[in-house]
Amino acid sequence: MVLAYVVNNDNLGNSGSVSVIDIKKHSTIATIPFSNIPNNITITPNGKLAYVLITDITNEVSLVSAIDIKTHSIIATVQIGSTAGFFSQNVDISFTPDGKLSYATISGTNFVLAIDTKTHSVIATVPVNIRPEAFAFTPNGKLAYVVNNTNLGSVSVIDTKAHSVFANVAVGASPIAVAITPDGKLVFVLNFSSNNVSVIDAKTQTHITTVRVGIAPASLAITPDGKLTYVVNSNPNDIGSVSVIDVQTQSVISTIPVGNNDNRPNNIAISPNGNFAYVGTFSGTTVTVIDTKSHLVIATIQLDSSQRFVEFTPDGKLAYVGCDSQNTVAVIETKSHSIIANVLVGGTPEAIAFTSN
């Protein structure tokens, strides 16, 4: 049975929850409360364990709680860093492909934490450059690419066996996202302030080219076949867009307008079969459906709220959209691109992860 774990951050106090949704019944079957603020989640490849990133404002520390998927209960909580002295928010967390390790970043610091998923303990603190945010593991799990969000942007390349940085690659200004091609050969880094994408050769750890995209790019995703990179351009105060980059030529082959004025498209998900890209909006109320073969908008799905996330179920038959002000998750059937259910969750659903098939 595939389950969806939704992180809810009510933004009204110092607490939140994780809602567990049965995707067949479109209903919440469990709610896991937190006395602090959860803000991100990841699930092991075998679907047995979830890690939730938490900000403890009162004690000025960042935490990770481990959830047993079978019982929907917290089995361990580990402190991963102090936030004293600066504003900090947990940013990214993910498991290596074998599920044995988890890496986590904390915005405002200059380190990445490595957690052993057997003992639920921090086994390494890896110094990187200032403000590490998003990161991605290579398909074999041997390397992690961490973007450091400063005006003089960089990517720290970590050897996950030694838990040490062996290369730093200069990229554009304020990098905020990273994606690696399925063959592990190229790394695409999204540079928010310089309105471009840096491409890194993963064999030589060198910056090989820069691709100009739209204004204020906010997220990116690579198609499962590794042929295209889709970049969402939020373009505040005007119409947003999606830039389609040909991975082989490293050039933009199409630009697709998305949403209305100041909708700020900010997240994207590509279906497991690679046929569709769904684009959500931070300030708008629509999800745009793009055909990845023709690069045309084939549907616009109207919701009642702006969105924090758009993600596909593992089989690609459904897409889940976190509706910010409605405290719901909209369930979209991808065959008809229509809403078939709205599932009530906690306040401000802002992150989601699915168990495996």
Side-chain angles (χ1 to χ4, degrees):
M1 177 174 64
V2 177
L3 301 172
Y5 271 61
V6 178
V7 170
N8 309 299
N9 176 355
D10 59 23
N11 284 334
L12 298 176
N14 296 339
S15 64
S17 64
V18 169
S19 301
V20 184
I21 300 174
D22 182 329
I23 70 166
K24 284 190 176 181
K25 298 179 180 179
H26 310 308
S27 63
T28 299
I29 60 173
T31 300
I32 306 165
F34 288 89
S35 57
N36 296 297
I37 302 173
N39 44 53
N40 212 338
I41 188 168
T42 185
I43 292 177
T44 48
N46 63 11
K48 293 182 178 181
L49 186 70
Y51 270 11
V52 181
L53 272 172
I54 299 164
T55 301
D56 182 344
I57 295 177
T58 302
N59 297 306
E60 296 185 297
V61 295
S62 292
L63 311 168
V64 169
S65 285
I67 298 175
D68 185 312
I69 298 294
K70 188 175 182 180
T71 61
H72 312 309
S73 60
I74 298 171
I75 57 175
T77 296
V78 56
Q79 180 177 323
I80 62 170
S82 171
T83 62
F86 55 85
F87 174 78
S88 177
Q89 179 181 359
N90 295 319
V91 175
D92 202 4
I93 188 166
S94 186
F95 291 105
T96 51
D98 62 10
K100 294 180 179 180
L101 291 173
S102 175
Y103 271 26
T105 58
I106 307 172
S107 178
T109 66
N110 63 340
F111 53 82
V112 174
L113 286 304
I115 303 170
D116 184 308
T117 59
K118 187 175 182 179
T119 62
H120 310 305
S121 60
V122 175
I123 59 172
T125 299
V126 186
V128 291
N129 290 335
I130 299 172
R131 294 186 65 185
E133 292 202 3
F135 65 91
F137 292 110
T138 51
N140 61 14
K142 293 182 178 181
L143 302 177
Y145 286 78
V146 183
V147 298
N148 303 295
N149 184 357
T150 63
N151 285 334
L152 298 174
S154 65
V155 173
S156 298
V157 188
I158 299 175
D159 181 322
T160 58
K161 186 176 181 180
H163 305 303
S164 62
V165 174
F166 72 93
N168 280 290
V169 185
V171 291
S174 303
I176 59 171
V178 59
I180 302 173
T181 53
D183 60 11
K185 293 182 178 180
L186 295 174
V187 181
F188 285 75
V189 179
L190 192 65
N191 304 308
F192 179 82
S193 295
S194 54
N195 302 325
N196 57 29
V197 172
S198 296
V199 184
I200 298 171
D201 184 314
K203 185 177 181 179
T204 62
Q205 313 307 336
T206 56
H207 184 288
I208 57 176
T209 193
T210 299
V211 184
R212 186 77 178 178
V213 290
I215 297 172
S219 64
L220 81 167
I222 298 175
T223 53
D225 61 10
K227 293 182 178 180
L228 301 171
T229 297
Y230 275 64
V231 177
V232 177
N233 307 298
S234 59
N235 197 11
N237 304 317
D238 208 332
I239 304 297
S241 65
V242 170
S243 299
V244 184
I245 300 173
D246 183 297
V247 168
Q248 185 175 5
T249 64
Q250 287 128 43
S251 61
V252 174
I253 59 173
S254 182
T255 300
I256 308 160
V258 173
N260 298 310
N261 190 64
D262 198 27
N263 277 183
R264 302 190 187 193
N266 74 321
N267 53 74
I268 187 169
I270 295 177
S271 59
N273 62 11
N275 290 340
F276 306 112
Y278 274 34
V279 182
T281 49
F282 183 74
S283 300
T285 58
T286 59
V287 170
T288 301
V289 182
I290 298 170
D291 183 309
T292 58
K293 288 184 174 61
S294 64
H295 313 308
L296 296 175
V297 174
I298 58 172
T300 301
I301 305 166
Q302 183 66 49
L303 289 85
D304 296 323
S305 171
S306 57
Q307 306 105 48
R308 294 293 182 107
F309 61 78
V310 178
E311 293 291 345
F312 288 94
T313 54
D315 62 9
K317 293 181 179 180
L318 302 172
Y320 273 46
V321 182
C323 296
D324 194 354
S325 61
Q326 299 297 309
N327 301 336
T328 60
V329 172
V331 183
I332 299 171
E333 182 187 60
T334 57
K335 186 177 181 180
S336 62
H337 308 302
S338 60
I339 298 171
I340 60 171
N342 285 286
V343 184
L344 185 65
V345 291
T348 315
E350 65 172 50
I352 191 171
F354 293 97
T355 59
S356 54
N357 284 319

